[in-house]
Each structure stands twice: as structure tokens, then as C-alpha cells.
Amino acid sequence: MEVINAELRQWCHELPKVELHAHLNGSIRDSTLLELVKNHGDNGVLISKDVEQMILEKGTSLRKCFELFAVYHVLATDHETVKRITKEAVEDFAADNCIYLELRTTPKKNEAKGMTKRSYMDAVIDGLKEVNTVDVDLYGCELTNKKNGDRRRKKIFVRLLLSINRSEATSSAIGTVNLAMEMKDMGVVGIDLSGDPTVGQWDTILPALEHARKLGLPVTLHCGEVRNSKEIQAMLDFNPQRLGHVCLLAEEDWERLKSLMIPVEICLTSNIMTQTIPLIEYHHFADLYKSKHPLSLCTDDTGLFSTTLSNEYYKAAVSFGLGKEEMFKLAQEAVNFVFANEDVKKHLAQNYEEAKARIL
Ligand SMILES: [Zn+2]
């Protein structure tokens, strides 16, 4: 049985952290999920008891994870819910001492609720404005009203990535890129490609990604969640600013990734719970870390995988024998891979300088 090192856990909590791979829907709190299901009513789609059971069985199999993910998608389809889950996600990351959060979400259209991709994103921004446990910096502006006039309050930088779903048509994906461009001055800093890795064709999405590149929008891709060498090679050819997961790469693709030095978003708990990697001892984090490959620890979905960014750092420390100085450096180096501008990077670097004296 695993012995919990409470002191190290607490230290990982106090460590200032940068989150680069977090999906809005996957970050819904269990308590909110249950409440939303109850409010959703007895329309035959969702039953509270079933969802309670799903929450209890979270992480016991890949199928259970995706069942719950489908529930998130059914529920987060009106402006009020989007606003609420955004507010709560940011407050949760801030409570975990996350100082920079790149939150990604797929802008959704829901005609029945009068929702367009743009109004969905406006609801996300409204949610950010409602955060009241911490000051939120979006596009270099502080959104949160300091209700108590407390100037020593914690601050979190939040930036947004618009996700293209792999199953989208080219025109819809291009629409998402155009929306990101339109909202460039409102905290949107890049594009993500995500969704069920067994569906969708790279060639359908590529024109949208090339469009993003032409517009100067950085791109991150979910890569290697399933074995698909042809697609992985195409992704490496595209040479994006970052890659997520990179779990199931063939030897030659692995070597190419390392020579390209593309920063990797590592999601330990997610990869183990979805059984993409059978055991943490076999996780490619070890090889990348040893090779000094640029990487950053991330949560993927705090709600879905019942994790926090502190927990991911703790897991890395105990699984790979990293000391506090190494952990600190790992967190600090993630600043280099954020999609926000140099000003933000400077602020974050300053935060780490201040934290060094306090926790090292
Ligand atoms: Zn992801």
C-alpha cells in the first residue's frame, strides 16, 4: 500500500504552478455535476442515481470515464451553466496555488438555447468576471472587483484556448480559428485539437490549423492517444508549439519528437486512468525528463480524473524520485511554454523568484 508523505503533499500544494492542459468541461466539480443533474429534471436522459453511481465508479475503466464525459456534454449546454463551471474551475485552480491557467474549451452551438459559438465564449468570460476568491488577469486586465479592497489577494492569470473537435468539418474548424482571432484581445491565446482520437481525419483539420498558423495563433495538439503512426507523423510534420500526451509513439516518431524539442503537456493520472499507459512506472515522463525534453505537468480533467495539479506534482515526485529542487524547476520551466505574451512570462518568473525563498 502506498504510504502518503503528507509533508511532500503539502509542499506540492504550496508550489506555485502553471497549468497548460485543462479542459473546461472535464473540470466540473462532482458536487456541481450532481446539482446540475437534479436541475436538469426528469427528462429521461439523465437520472441522479445513475450519475451518482458513475461518480463512484470514476476511474475504474476507460469506458466509465467516457460515460461521465458524455454527461458533462449533455449538461454544459446553456449560458448559465457554462458561466458557473468556468467560475468554479478557476476558483479551484487558484485554491490549488495555480498562478497561470490555460483553460481550453470547444465553443458550442446550441440553437435550442440560443447559443452561438461566440455567445458560448462570452459566457466563459462572464464566468471569469464572477470569480471572487482570487483576482483574475485576463488579457492583461484585472477582471475581478476587489470587494474587500484587499490588495494582497492572490492573483491568477487565465488565458483561453479554443478547441477544435476532431470530428468537426473543415468549415466549422476554420470558424473556430476565426473566432479565436476575433477574441485575441479578450484572453484567447491559441488553438487546441482534441476529441475522440478514434474519429476524424487529419486532412480535414489541417487547413484550419494552417489558417491558425497564418494568423499567428499558437497551436497545441492531442497526439498519440491511440496508435496511429501516420497521423502522429503528420502532427510532427506540422511542428506545433506544443503537444499533449504523446503516449503511443513508435520508436522513430519518439526520436523525431525529441529532436524537434516540441514541449509536451504530460497528464500522468489521465494516462493511467484511461489505461493509455498501463502503469506509472512505464510512463514516458521518465524518458523525456531524463533527456531534458521541454515538458510540463498538467491535469487534463480535474473532475473526470479526481485530481489536482498539486497531486500531479506529488505523483511525479513519488513515482520518479524527484526532489524538491527538481520539482520547483519543473514547475518554473513551464513558464517558457505558455501561450501568453512576454509581459505575463515576466510576471510569472517574478512569482517563482519570490516563491524560491519561501519554499526551497
Ligand atoms: Zn486533453
Side-chain angles (χ1 to χ4, degrees):
M1 221 178 89
E2 190 191 328
V3 180
I4 306 281
N5 180 337
E7 191 272 331
L8 182 59
R9 246 194 196 291
Q10 180 59 26
W11 186 86
C12 290
H13 174 74
E14 280 165 28
L15 175 70
K17 290 166 292 286
V18 165
E19 170 65 87
L20 300 179
H21 187 138
H23 299 265
L24 173 61
N25 272 3
S27 306
I28 299 180
R29 295 173 186 167
D30 288 349
S31 54
T32 299
L33 185 64
L34 286 170
E35 212 184 303
L36 291 174
V37 174
K38 276 189 197 117
N39 296 344
H40 205 67
D42 208 5
N43 63 5
V45 183
L46 294 171
I47 299 157
S48 296
K49 273 213 161 334
D50 292 351
V51 176
E52 258 171 59
Q53 192 58 30
M54 281 181 193
I55 290 173
L56 284 173
E57 290 174 351
K58 250 190 327 192
T60 51
S61 77
L62 179 61
R63 192 175 57 83
K64 302 271 180 213
C65 287
F66 277 104
E67 273 175 15
L68 198 55
F69 210 67
V71 174
Y72 294 159
H73 279 281
V74 171
L75 291 170
T77 46
D78 64 83
H79 295 114
E80 273 313 304
T81 306
V82 171
K83 206 161 107 178
R84 171 176 178 179
I85 62 175
T86 305
K87 170 187 187 283
E88 292 179 352
V90 172
E91 289 184 348
D92 291 348
F93 275 103
D96 192 38
N97 286 322
C98 188
I99 56 172
Y100 177 91
L101 166 65
E102 249 170 51
L103 196 57
R104 55 185 78 189
T105 190
T106 315
K108 290 165 197 79
K109 230 197 270 184
N110 181 1
E111 276 163 27
K113 301 265 170 70
M115 183 186 272
T116 62
K117 283 186 174 186
R118 174 62 201 246
S119 75
Y120 173 94
M121 286 312 300
D122 288 339
V124 169
I125 291 173
D126 286 345
L128 294 173
K129 288 179 185 159
E130 293 210 345
V131 170
N132 51 34
T133 58
V134 62
D135 291 329
V136 175
D137 176 294
L138 188 75
Y139 56 87
C141 266
E142 274 186 30
L143 291 183
T144 325
N145 45 342
K146 290 190 177 78
K147 280 179 189 142
N148 321 321
D150 184 355
R151 303 199 125 262
R152 292 163 305 162
R153 254 176 31 148
K154 280 204 298 193
K155 172 159 135 182
I156 184 168
F157 289 86
V158 180
R159 295 296 183 267
L160 304 166
L161 301 184
L162 299 199
S163 297
I164 293 171
N165 190 301
R166 296 175 52 100
S167 59
E168 276 180 67
T170 307
S171 57
S172 169
I174 288 178
T176 299
V177 172
N178 287 335
L179 178 61
M181 197 58 196
E182 188 183 309
M183 301 186 75
K184 222 182 156 190
D185 296 330
M186 304 174 79
V188 175
V189 290
I191 293 291
D192 157 56
L193 175 65
S194 51
D196 183 342
T198 61
V199 302
Q201 294 295 324
W202 172 254
D203 291 346
T204 313
I205 299 300
L206 183 60
L209 300 175
E210 284 172 337
H211 183 51
R213 175 161 287 166
K214 251 184 233 144
L215 295 172
L217 285 166
V219 170
T220 178
L221 308 170
H222 279 66
C223 172
E225 292 173 281
V226 291
R227 283 188 202 284
N228 181 347
S229 206
K230 207 173 146 219
E231 183 181 273
I232 291 166
Q233 283 162 17
M235 286 183 170
L236 293 171
D237 286 343
F238 182 74
N239 197 4
Q241 277 76 7
R242 294 199 313 249
L243 286 169
H245 298 304
V246 296
C247 293
L248 302 169
L249 270 61
E251 194 54 41
E252 67 264 31
D253 300 332
W254 188 246
E255 290 312 317
R256 185 144 173 250
L257 165 75
K258 283 160 87 177
S259 69
L260 286 168
M261 294 293 274
I262 303 170
V264 174
E265 303 150 4
I266 294 276
C267 309
L268 296 171
T269 300
S270 162
N271 296 159
I272 301 301
M273 278 174 88
T274 56
Q275 296 160 7
T276 317
I277 305 285
L279 281 172
I280 196 142
E281 289 80 0
Y282 303 146
H283 200 282
H284 48 289
F285 168 87
D287 185 34
L288 289 178
Y289 184 76
K290 213 173 70 201
S291 323
K292 300 196 178 352
H293 190 91
L295 58 85
S296 158
L297 292 177
C298 307
T299 56
D300 206 5
D301 300 287
T302 53
L304 188 58
F305 302 122
S306 301
T307 191
T308 60
L309 194 49
S310 300
N311 185 48
E312 297 303 301
Y313 274 84
Y314 176 76
K315 207 165 243 188
V318 296
S319 307
F320 306 105
L322 268 57
K324 286 180 184 169
E325 271 184 39
E326 292 166 303
M327 300 290 286
F328 189 89
K329 204 160 169 248
L330 189 61
Q332 189 176 29
E333 281 178 359
V335 173
N336 300 323
F337 320 130
V338 308
F339 287 170
N341 64 26
E342 292 304 315
D343 264 4
V344 176
K345 288 185 188 179
K346 258 186 230 156
H347 264 102
L348 298 173
Q350 179 74 32
N351 280 340
Y352 277 101
E353 281 313 313
E354 286 162 16
K356 203 177 233 171
R358 201 172 63 241
I359 66 167
L360 266 192

